[in-house]
Amino acid sequence: VLDDIRPLRELATSGASVLSNTVKIFATPNAYLAVRQQPTGPRFDASAIYNGENRQAGALISFAINKPVEKKEAPIVTTAKSGKKITDPIVEKKEMKSTVKYDSVKLEIFNASGVLINTIKQKAPEENGLFRMTWGLNEKAERNPSRDKPREGRGGFGGGGTSVLPGTYKLRISFGDQKDSTSLVVKADPRINASTAVTEQRYAMLKDLQKLTAAATQATDRLRESLEIVDEYEKRIKDTKRTDLKEVTDKTKVMKDSINALFDFVLGKVDKRQGIVRSPDPTPVSYIQTARGYIGRSTDPISDTDKRVYKQAEDKINEMVNRINKFYTSAWPEYRAIMEKVNLSPFKDYEPIER
C-alpha cells in the first residue's frame, strides 16, 4: 500500500543522489492520536473471517541508509632484481580500527521544548535502501516493577509510555556517526470532541501515575538486589559446612522471608497456575494499572471516578514506600551489621605437605 509517497517525490525532485547519504530522514506525514474501537461482529477473529488491513497506528517515518564501504588497502607491488613483479600480501595495519558501528538505527524524539521524550533503537537493515519505522506517539515508558532483572533494550514501536499531546516534535535519526532530522506534527483525532484543557489534565494525571510506577520499580529493584545479597550469604554459609553459624543461618532465612513478603505485598504472590488467571487480591501496582485504565481511556472531563482511582493508587504507593523505607532503616541495617562481622572467607589454612 503506497500510503506515503513523499520519499518518492523527493527522489524525483532531488535525484537519486539523496540515497548516497549515509542516513536520510524524509518529510513525515501528520500523525493522529486516533481513537480505535473494536468493530461489531466476532470478538476474536477465526478462520474464514476476512479483515481489511488498516494503516498502522502511530507516526510513519521513512528513512534511507547507505552504509559506507570499507576501503581495503591495495596489494603492494615490487620489482625483484630479475625484473619480475612480486605482489606482497596485504599487511594489516596496527592502527586502531574505527569505532563507528553501523549495526543499528536510532530515532530520538524531542518535544517543542527540546526535551528528549523517547528513543527507538532498531537493528540496521542488512541492505542499503529506503525503509520505514513507526513511532507509537508515546513518551518513554517507565520500567515496570518486577521480581526479575530487566532485560536490556526496548526497541521496536517505542510504545508503553504516556501518549503525547498534540504539537510539533523533532525527529532525529542516527546511523553510525551520521545524523539527520525533520519535524513531525501530531494532531488530535478530529472525530473526537475533546477540549485541549481536558486532554492536558488527563495527560498530567497519567504523568503523575508514571512517577508512582517509577517509585514501585525503584522499590522492587532494591528488594531484588538485597535478595541477591542474602542468597549469596546463604550459599557461602552452606558451602562452609561450619557448625558455629546456626544463628546467622536463622537470621538469613528470616531476612529472605521478609524480602519475599515485601515482594508479595508490592506485586502479589507468585501464581504458578497455568492459563488466564487473575489474582483476587489487589496490590499497590494493580491500583496504578486500574487508574491508568480509567484515566487513559476517556476523553471526557475529569470525573469523580477518575479522581477516586487516582487517589487510591497514590495512597497505596505511599503505603508501600513507607513499608519499604521502614525495612531499610531498621531490619536491613541490623542484618548487615551482623553479617559483616561473620568471617566467611573462602580461604583456608593448609598444613605443610610431608614427603
Side-chain angles (χ1 to χ4, degrees), residues 86-321:
I86 302 173
T87 302
D88 294 336
I90 299 174
V91 181
E92 266 191 44
K93 288 188 174 181
K94 293 185 179 180
E95 299 174 7
M96 289 292 291
K97 292 184 178 180
S98 173
T99 57
V100 179
K101 294 183 179 180
Y102 296 93
D103 57 350
S104 63
V105 177
K106 183 173 70 172
L107 178 71
E108 297 170 297
I109 300 103
F110 300 85
N111 63 16
S113 301
V115 177
L116 178 65
I117 61 170
N118 207 341
T119 301
I120 304 171
K121 192 173 183 180
Q122 297 181 353
K123 183 179 178 181
E126 295 290 338
E127 304 293 334
N128 294 335
L130 181 61
F131 302 94
R132 172 177 287 172
M133 67 168 59
T134 306
W135 169 43
L137 305 181
N138 296 85
E139 297 185 3
K140 181 181 178 181
E142 288 291 341
R143 182 166 50 82
N144 287 322
S146 173
R147 283 182 169 85
D148 303 321
K149 280 188 175 182
R151 289 182 292 179
E152 291 296 327
R154 284 188 166 272
F157 197 55
T162 304
S163 295
V164 298
L165 292 170
T168 301
Y169 295 83
K170 176 184 175 182
L171 308 177
R172 185 172 71 191
I173 195 167
S174 304
F175 181 54
D177 59 351
Q178 299 298 306
K179 296 180 175 66
D180 194 21
S181 59
T182 188
S183 60
L184 168 69
V185 176
V186 177
K187 294 187 176 183
D189 191 328
R191 303 167 299 176
I192 304 299
N193 185 22
S195 71
T196 302
V198 170
T199 302
E200 290 177 348
Q201 284 178 333
R202 290 191 175 275
Y203 170 83
M205 292 180 75
L206 289 170
K207 292 293 288 183
D208 287 340
L209 288 174
Q210 200 166 316
K211 294 177 182 177
L212 298 182
T213 301
T217 300
Q218 186 178 10
T220 55
D221 285 351
R222 289 185 180 182
L223 290 174
R224 185 171 57 252
E225 291 172 1
S226 299
L227 188 59
E228 289 173 357
I229 293 173
V230 174
D231 285 340
E232 178 62 22
Y233 269 121
E234 187 178 51
K235 180 179 180 300
R236 290 167 66 180
I237 291 171
K238 185 177 180 180
D239 290 344
T240 60
K241 298 180 181 179
R242 286 165 51 183
T243 58
D244 60 329
L245 297 177
K246 186 179 183 308
E247 182 181 357
V248 294
T249 300
D250 293 341
K251 289 188 179 297
T252 296
K253 185 180 183 305
V254 170
M255 181 55 57
K256 190 172 183 177
D257 292 342
S258 298
I259 295 174
N260 283 323
L262 287 172
F263 263 129
D264 291 343
F265 171 71
V266 177
L267 301 172
K269 293 183 178 180
V270 177
D271 195 336
K272 297 182 180 180
R273 293 177 295 171
Q274 295 183 351
I276 301 175
V277 297
R278 177 177 292 179
S279 173
D281 302 318
T283 65
V285 173
S286 69
Y287 277 97
I288 297 177
Q289 295 167 345
T290 299
R292 286 189 62 179
Y294 275 93
I295 297 167
R297 282 196 297 263
S298 177
T299 57
D300 296 330
I302 303 297
S303 66
D304 290 339
T305 300
D306 295 328
K307 295 176 182 177
R308 182 165 57 253
V309 294
Y310 175 84
K311 185 67 168 55
Q312 288 173 343
E314 189 177 42
D315 290 344
K316 290 297 180 180
I317 293 300
N318 286 339
E319 180 185 353
M320 177 210 73
V321 168

